[in-house]
Amino acid sequence: MPLVPPYIETLRPYEAGRSVESVRSQYGLSRVAKLASNENPLGPSAKAIEALTRSLASLNFYPNGGLEIREVLATEFELKLENVIAGSGSEGIMSNIIRTFLGDQDEVLTTEAAFIGFQVLARSRGVKYRTVPYRDWHYDLAALAQAINPNTKIIYLANPNNPTGTIFTKHQFDEFYKHVPERVLIILDEAYFEYAKDNPRYPDSMHYRYDNVITLRTFSKIYGLAGVRIGYGFAHEELIRNLLKVKLPFEPSTPAQAAGMGALADKEFVHRSLELNARGLRYLVEGLADVGLTVIPSEANFVMAVLPSELEVNRLFEELLAQGVIVRPLNAFALPHCIRVSTGTDEENRLCVEAFRRSYAASLGTSRAG
Ligand SMILES: Cc1ncc(COP(=O)(O)O)c(C=O)c1O
C-alpha cells in the first residue's frame, strides 16, 4: 500500500508469548509455568498494589507527567530532578529517545540480535540500523567502537543483555568509551540491573555520568510491575530537558507512577526476588546443561540455550508447551536456533527441568527407534 513507508511495511508486529490461560485450556493442564518474558514469578510487591489501589480514587485527574516518581528516584539515587525521567516502561522512554535525537541521515549501531524492542523502535524510524556480531555471546565492544562512523548517532547497549544474559565489564566499558565521540549518544539499557549489580565487575552506569550516556531502568522486571508500564531514565539535564519536550505529557499513568513508588519502597521484596532468582538460575543452568544443552552463563533472570537447529527449537517449544512450560523461541530476535527460559518459582523451575528431561529422553528414544 503506497501510504505505508517500506521500512514500516517490512516490520513484523510484536508477537506476545502464549498466555497461561490459553496453554492450560489447550492442553487441559492444571499447572502452567510461564517462563517466557523475564517477569517476576513472585508477582507484584504488596506495597506496590497498595499504592496503586490508593491512587485509583484520583483517576478523574490527569497525571502529572511522572513528577513525583522522578523526585523519589532523584532522592534514592542522589541526583537532581533534572537528571531523571519517567515513562511508560523503559521502552516508552526508548521510543522518546528515538524521536528526540535521530535525524533522517543518522544511524544506530548495536549488536546482532539486540533486544527486540529496540530493534523495532529503531527500524520504525526508518534510519540505517547497523550491527556487529556477538563475540562468544557477549557484546564485542572493540568491534562496535571500530564500527562507529560519521553518521553514527545512537549506540544501544543492554547490560545485562537480553536475550543472551551476558554482561560487559567495567574495564571493557571504560576501554570502549574512550573511542566514542561526544556527538554519539549511548543508551545503556539496564532493565536487569538489579540482578547483576552485586557482581564487582559489573559497571553500574550511575557511576558513569557522562554527558552522552542515558541509562534506562524499569519496574517491569525485579519489581514485578510489567503490567502497569513504568520505567525511568537518568541522563545529563540537557538530554532530559529535550526528552521532556517530546514525551507524551501524561505518561506515566497515575496508577503506574504510584505502583512504582510503592515498589521502590519495598526493599524486602527485591531482596526476596533476588534470592529466588539466584537459586533458580543455578538450578536451570545445571538442569538444562544436564540434558545436554549448551547454556550461556547468565547475570539476569533468564538463561539462553543454543540448540542444533531451528527445527529442534520448534520441536522442543511444542513439547514443553504440552507439558505446561512456556519458554521463548528466539526467531524474532534473529536467533532461530536459540531459546530463552526465564527463572520461575522453585516449583516452576522444577516443572521446567522435568519437562526438558522428558522431552530429551523422548527424542533420544525416537532417534534410536528411527
Ligand atoms: C533489555 C530490555 N530492555 C527493556 C525492556 C522493556 O522493559 P519495559 O517493560 O520497562 O518497557 C526489556 C523487556 O523485556 C528488556 O529485556
Side-chain angles (χ1 to χ4, degrees):
M1 193 159 70
L3 290 176
V4 184
Y7 53 85
I8 299 291
E9 190 71 59
T10 49
L11 288 176
R12 283 188 12 211
Y14 179 76
E15 275 175 43
R18 293 287 303 271
S19 73
V20 168
E21 232 357 276
S22 77
V23 174
R24 190 180 285 147
S25 64
Q26 180 182 350
Y27 296 98
L29 297 161
S30 54
R31 288 181 312 177
V32 173
K34 181 169 183 280
L35 306 177
S37 301
N38 309 337
E39 296 144 333
N40 188 330
L42 291 178
S45 102
K47 288 196 173 149
I49 298 177
E50 256 171 55
L52 183 145
T53 308
R54 258 185 277 118
S55 79
L56 296 181
S58 57
L59 284 188
N60 53 316
F61 297 118
Y62 280 103
N64 59 15
L67 183 62
E68 287 162 64
I69 196 165
R70 288 173 64 211
E71 284 167 349
V72 169
L73 288 162
T75 307
E76 173 95 8
F77 293 103
E78 298 175 2
L79 294 166
K80 288 188 290 184
L81 176 68
E82 291 77 11
N83 297 117
V84 185
I85 190 165
S88 299
S90 52
E91 268 197 75
I93 305 173
M94 230 183 265
S95 164
N96 291 327
I97 296 173
I98 302 279
R99 289 198 295 143
T100 306
F101 300 109
L102 282 179
D104 292 345
Q105 303 311 316
D106 292 335
E107 299 183 3
V108 300
L109 177 62
T110 186
T111 186
E112 71 171 310
F115 166 55
I116 187 81
F118 178 76
Q119 289 195 44
V120 170
L121 284 171
R123 290 186 204 278
S124 69
R125 176 63 183 76
V127 296
K128 194 158 182 191
Y129 180 94
R130 292 170 59 236
T131 61
V132 160
Y134 285 121
R135 192 187 178 115
D136 199 16
W137 298 113
H138 289 70
Y139 276 87
D140 187 344
L141 290 183
L144 274 166
Q146 276 196 347
I148 296 171
N149 71 21
N151 291 331
T152 305
K153 182 64 172 288
I154 289 182
I155 300 181
Y156 171 80
L157 309 173
N159 202 33
N161 184 42
N162 176 11
T164 59
T166 52
I167 62 165
F168 50 82
T169 65
K170 281 179 189 160
H171 176 70
Q172 288 164 340
F173 184 73
D174 288 342
E175 263 314 296
F176 167 74
Y177 189 76
K178 287 183 200 156
H179 302 281
V180 181
E182 278 174 15
R183 60 169 174 82
V184 175
L185 178 65
I186 301 176
I187 302 178
L188 268 185
D189 182 340
E190 295 184 343
Y192 303 97
F193 157 79
E194 293 83 0
Y195 300 104
K197 69 179 188 334
D198 295 330
N199 180 338
R201 283 153 46 94
Y202 178 74
D204 173 352
S205 76
M206 287 302 288
H207 302 145
Y208 293 94
R209 289 296 91 229
Y210 297 134
D211 293 357
N212 60 340
V213 174
I214 180 158
T215 297
L216 296 181
R217 292 191 186 160
T218 184
F219 286 96
S220 297
K221 304 300 173 185
I222 200 145
Y223 292 103
L225 290 177
V228 293
R229 313 308 301 133
I230 177 87
Y232 57 101
F234 304 121
H236 187 278
E237 48 219 63
E238 266 307 288
L239 298 183
I240 298 292
R241 198 170 63 77
N242 283 286
L243 280 170
L244 289 174
K245 294 179 197 167
V246 169
K247 108 180 214 319
L248 294 177
F250 301 123
E251 67 161 329
S253 74
T254 303
Q257 172 169 245
M261 289 191 293
L264 200 63
D266 200 344
K267 306 291 180 211
E268 191 273 333
F269 178 79
V270 171
H271 183 70
R272 218 156 21 99
S273 304
L274 274 178
E275 285 191 342
L276 172 66
N277 183 62
R279 234 180 11 251
L281 261 189
R282 273 196 304 274
Y283 186 80
L284 286 181
V285 168
E286 280 170 22
L288 270 51
D290 203 43
V291 297
L293 290 174
T294 304
V295 185
I296 310 306
S298 167
E299 306 271 346
N301 64 344
F302 55 86
V303 286
M304 189 177 90
V306 186
L307 278 80
S309 67
E310 180 172 6
L311 208 65
E312 183 71 8
V313 166
N314 294 341
R315 180 194 71 79
L316 184 62
F317 174 70
E318 293 298 333
E319 286 189 16
L320 294 175
L321 216 53
Q323 297 174 78
V325 176
I326 313 173
V327 299
R328 186 72 156 181
L330 295 175
N331 52 341
F333 279 71
L335 294 175
H337 60 305
C338 299
I339 55 161
R340 195 189 63 200
V341 186
S342 313
T343 60
T345 60
D346 292 327
E347 164 76 15
E348 288 173 330
N349 296 332
R350 258 194 304 279
L351 183 70
C352 173
V353 170
E354 272 167 28
F356 268 89
R357 266 202 204 110
R358 257 186 245 116
S359 180
Y360 271 90
S363 83
L364 284 179
T366 321
S367 57
R368 267 188 222 120

